[in-house]
Amino acid sequence: MYVNHTTNGMDNLNVFAITIEPSDNASVVNSLGWGGTYPKFPYTSNNDNIYDHYENTLGLGSGGIPFFIMICPNKTDPGNSTIVQSDVGFSNGLFPADYETKFTACFSGGANNIEELSSLFNTFPNPAKDILTIQGSYISVDVYDVYGKLVLSAESAKTINVSSLCNGIYMIEINTEKGTATQKIIITK
């Protein structure tokens, strides 16, 4: 993805490699063969804090490394940016097509811009208990848990039954003819 989406510094994609191995100084990190020309940060105690935030505070990662997180930034309020995908380990197929789909939803221009598309929908109540209402024209909706796992899919309808979902935070992808809008919902019983 980094190679396919970065050119001449005019990039919507930024990649950062941060090590949590205390022996990884700048020389070691730059010779690890991680590929790409994205920034690679040598070890500092702050790296442990960053890892701990995503691993323990947010419950992602399951203690493994390497640990990947894809964030769709909220440009007007960066502190409320959205984690749209996370994975642990190296394996074939680690970055499935949904990374590309989620990246496109975050950064495509014009009417496909995630913020513009999201503003076309009114999703309520939020928090929801059993029923979620989506006002706006769409084809289908997919609901993902905080780990990026698809937990519910539904065709276009005025209301979506979410009673099968446990309490928690979910990302919903509202699929339209113009692209995919992403919104955060909370389920509380």
Side-chain angles (χ1 to χ4, degrees), residues 8-189:
N8 301 325
M10 302 299 291
D11 311 321
N12 285 321
L13 175 68
N14 289 299
V15 176
F16 303 100
I18 302 172
T19 183
I20 58 168
E21 298 291 334
S23 60
D24 286 349
N25 60 29
S27 176
V28 171
V29 167
N30 288 324
S31 63
L32 285 175
W34 287 349
T37 57
Y38 49 83
K40 300 170 188 76
F41 294 91
Y43 179 81
T44 68
S45 59
N46 191 47
N47 297 15
D48 287 330
N49 294 333
I50 293 168
Y51 180 83
D52 183 66
H53 171 72
Y54 291 103
E55 170 68 29
N56 297 315
T57 305
L58 300 179
L60 305 172
S62 69
I65 57 172
F67 177 29
F68 301 93
I69 299 175
M70 182 177 180
I71 300 172
C72 183
N74 179 328
K75 294 177 184 175
T76 57
D77 186 7
N80 284 310
S81 295
T82 303
I83 298 170
V84 294
Q85 185 79 29
S86 68
D87 283 302
V88 176
F90 276 125
S91 64
N92 287 337
L94 176 64
F95 299 103
D98 59 342
Y99 270 85
E100 195 68 39
T101 301
K102 291 174 183 179
F103 172 79
T104 301
C106 286
F107 296 105
S108 58
N112 289 332
N113 182 283
I114 191 168
E115 292 170 7
E116 291 177 24
L117 275 175
S118 291
S119 70
L120 300 176
F121 298 97
N122 187 14
T123 306
F124 62 92
N126 195 5
K129 182 177 179 182
D130 296 319
I131 300 295
L132 181 68
T133 300
I134 302 175
Q135 290 180 330
S137 178
Y138 67 98
I139 299 167
S140 65
V141 64
D142 296 314
V143 181
Y144 295 87
D145 66 15
V146 294
Y147 302 105
K149 178 182 176 188
L150 178 65
V151 294
L152 179 68
S153 288
E155 296 301 314
S156 177
K158 184 177 178 184
T159 60
I160 306 297
N161 184 342
V162 294
S163 63
S164 64
L165 301 177
C166 297
N167 288 346
I169 299 172
Y170 296 85
M171 294 303 299
I172 61 170
E173 289 187 351
I174 304 169
N175 303 304
T176 74
E177 292 179 1
K178 296 181 179 180
T180 301
T182 303
Q183 295 186 357
K184 179 171 61 174
I185 62 166
I186 299 171
I187 303 295
T188 56
K189 306 286 181 174

